[in-house]
Amino acid sequence: MPQVGGFLLGAVGVGSGVAGAIGAAGAFKLGAVFAATTFGGIATNLLASVALSALSMALQPTPKAAGLRTETTLRGGTTPEVFLLGRSATGGTMVCPPMSHGKAGKTPNAYLTYVIELAGIPGHQLDGLSLNGEAVEILADDPHPDYGQRIGGEYEDRAWIRYYDGTQTEADPMLVATYPAPYVRPWSADMVGAGICYAVLTFRYDRKVWSGWPQCRFVLSSVPVYDPRLDSSVGGDGPQRWGDTSTYAPSNNAAVLAYNVKRGIVLPGGEVWGGNIPEADLPLVAWMAEMDLADQLVDDGDDGTEPQYRAGVEVRADDEPFSVIEEVLKGCNGQVSETGGVWTLRLGAPRLPVLFFEDHHIIADEAEEFRPFPPIDQIFNAISATYPDPEQNWESTESELITNADWEAEDGDRRLTASLSLPVVPYPMQVVRVTNALITDHR
């Protein structure tokens, strides 16, 4: 296929515009449908796990993966809408084919344009960007009048970005001016993308810089969530109010994120993703205590401190909410339980007992089986975990193996390793804390 000036556009063609039509309120029509899911089968999951150790439960596979889900930028309009709970990364989804325009010197079609949707709920903030597998600096000063903020390093004067957080009310002026009719699919003034967080990237052709299509990965803050500790109307201290999303703020606190999934997160179409559980069934005294525990500062391994339990997960609208909560709690040794319709949460190590009972308190009318020695495939004396490492462009990274010579001697001088996946914990020292606590509890 011949090269079309600067950038090779392939079958897409030069000047291709939005792949689909424009829906209501000027939003991009992507063909993706929000799905409001419920907590069906929660009791079954809880009962099935009662007899298992915390490590055994953490090793159980989940229905769908969590954490960094969209590793590369997707194309097409049939992928489910996404949003981020906690700070995380995404490749996003192209809302239209790549487009080219302009001239640089003697090179026609020298500028390539990407329009990438990053989240389907407004309010996410752009925290970082990677191009071709390397983190780049988005320069705040001297933005390009048409293309937006400059990207530094080797991409200086070769790449720019404009980011919209979903609160925009007008279409991107550069797209409207640069790709009008009679382009095959012109960008019109009603293509606002209302409620959608998206980025417009412009790349200038330079064969020394670009050896192929630029690959992008974006780091976003959490969707704004409700933290009852910041709501003075329920005993907290602050302006947040449940149901008024304009008062919400991003959070990485694992307990806050779990609470919001339980209460339910309202999607732009009005559907609720999550449990839609009433406030009365989530006692604030108990939940706020765990939120404080998650924020408790601990050693960060580098002569500083960090919050004890954080999480970051890219959520798709067709994910089961409880499976997302399970992944979040796995990353902080947490458990959620329900008693008489009331849900409570515990993070970290078990608390002191509040109830004691003896054999004569148990009424047994069925045969029981006791296995004092578990099979070898259920015994572990070492542990490691994979997690998304921001220092490695959010790629899955193996943590340091935790071993114990005494435990290996007890197990016949064998190393029996548990390999855990913590896809929602992009914090290396938290991974160490969680895995160390799990293997110690298991022994």
Side-chain angles (χ1 to χ4, degrees), residues 168-374:
Q168 64 274 2
T169 58
E170 297 180 352
D172 180 87
M174 188 279 289
L175 296 177
V176 174
T178 306
Y179 301 104
Y183 276 80
V184 177
R185 297 181 179 89
W187 199 277
S188 58
D190 62 349
M191 295 179 176
V192 176
I196 293 174
C197 300
Y198 76 99
V200 181
L201 296 104
T202 303
F203 308 101
R204 179 181 172 182
Y205 180 72
D206 185 335
R207 67 179 60 202
K208 295 180 180 179
V209 175
W210 311 112
S211 59
W213 294 100
Q215 301 298 312
C216 309
R217 182 171 291 176
F218 306 84
V219 181
L220 298 183
S221 69
S222 172
V223 64
V225 291
Y226 172 73
D227 187 337
R229 298 174 301 169
L230 303 178
D231 182 351
S232 58
S233 70
V234 296
D237 182 16
Q240 292 197 14
R241 297 294 184 268
W242 174 256
D244 184 357
T245 56
S246 67
T247 66
Y248 293 4
S251 176
N252 302 323
N253 183 296
V256 171
L257 300 180
Y259 180 85
N260 277 261
V261 177
K262 286 287 190 182
R263 291 294 303 272
I265 295 173
V266 179
L267 305 177
E271 303 93 338
V272 175
W273 182 89
N276 207 16
I277 295 175
E279 177 185 344
D281 294 340
L282 299 164
L284 285 179
V285 172
W287 281 82
M288 290 165 71
E290 301 306 305
M291 294 172 188
D292 288 340
L293 181 67
D295 277 341
Q296 182 177 319
L297 296 179
V298 295
D299 181 14
D300 68 353
D302 192 25
D303 297 326
T305 59
E306 66 180 17
Q308 185 168 210
Y309 296 124
R310 294 173 288 175
V313 52
E314 182 183 3
V315 178
R316 295 179 181 172
D318 60 353
D319 285 340
E320 283 291 338
F322 195 74
S323 69
V324 173
I325 288 181
E326 285 182 321
E327 287 295 332
V328 170
L329 296 185
K330 184 195 298 184
C332 52
N333 295 331
Q335 290 186 350
V336 64
S337 60
E338 180 266 339
T339 304
V342 175
W343 294 88
T344 54
L345 174 70
R346 177 192 58 76
L347 304 185
R351 311 296 193 269
L352 293 174
V354 296
L355 174 68
F356 296 89
F357 63 90
E358 299 177 351
D359 290 349
H360 67 273
H361 292 133
I362 302 174
I363 300 175
D365 55 6
E366 293 184 7
E368 294 186 7
E369 181 177 305
F370 175 60
R371 300 175 66 184
F373 303 106

Side-chain angles (χ1 to χ4, degrees), residues 27 31 141-142 189 340 349 385 396 398 432:
D141 63 323
D142 195 22
S396 183
E398 187 82 15
V432 172

Side-chain angles (χ1 to χ4, degrees), residues 3 76 78 97 138 162 167 245 264 275 303 305 344 438:
Q3 183 165 320
T78 59
I138 300 175
R162 286 187 314 289
T167 61
T245 56
D303 297 326
T305 59
T344 54
L438 284 172

Side-chain angles (χ1 to χ4, degrees), residues 56 87 91 104 108 138 144 164 220 271 327 341 393 426:
S56 298
R87 185 174 184 267
I138 300 175
H144 190 282
Y164 294 93
L220 298 183
E271 303 93 338
E327 287 295 332
N393 194 35

